[in-house]
């Protein structure tokens, strides 16, 4: 199983790639709102800690998604 640990470099890459916007709702990540680098496919579902499985997400989108593969809004 892949480690859930996301290195500082990988975190930086994901944030830069997302242009500091939540990749789900496009909310800007510069407003002091809590943002997290999220596993698109969670580690518990076999997702890997690689750039193509990570996205930048605001706390609302991340909480709504949880560790499931996806959710319906
Ligand atoms: Zn969001």
């Amino acid at each position: 199983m892949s480690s859930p640990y996301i290195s500082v470099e990988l975190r930086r890459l994901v944030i830069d790639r997302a242009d500091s916007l939540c990749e789900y709702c496009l909310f800007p990540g510069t407003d002091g709102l809590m943002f997290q680098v999220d596993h698109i496919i969670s580690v518990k579902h076999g997702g890997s800690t690689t750039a193509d499985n990570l996205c930048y997400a605001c706390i609302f989108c991340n909480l709504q998604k949880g560790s499931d593969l996806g959710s319906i809004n």
Side-chain angles (χ1 to χ4, degrees), residues 21-27 33 35 56-62:
L21 300 175
C22 172
E23 293 187 75
Y24 296 117
C25 70
L26 302 180
F27 198 84
L33 195 72
F35 271 67
Y56 196 48
C58 74
I59 191 77
F60 300 118
C61 291
N62 207 3

Side-chain angles (χ1 to χ4, degrees), residues 24 40-41 45 64-72:
Y24 296 117
I40 297 166
I41 299 172
H45 289 293
Q64 198 164 33
K65 179 174 166 285
S67 64
D68 294 330
L69 296 175
S71 62
I72 298 169

Side-chain angles (χ1 to χ4, degrees), residues 42-58:
S42 67
V43 174
K44 88 172 181 189
H45 289 293
S48 60
T49 305
T50 53
D52 60 350
N53 189 44
L54 294 170
C55 71
Y56 196 48
C58 74

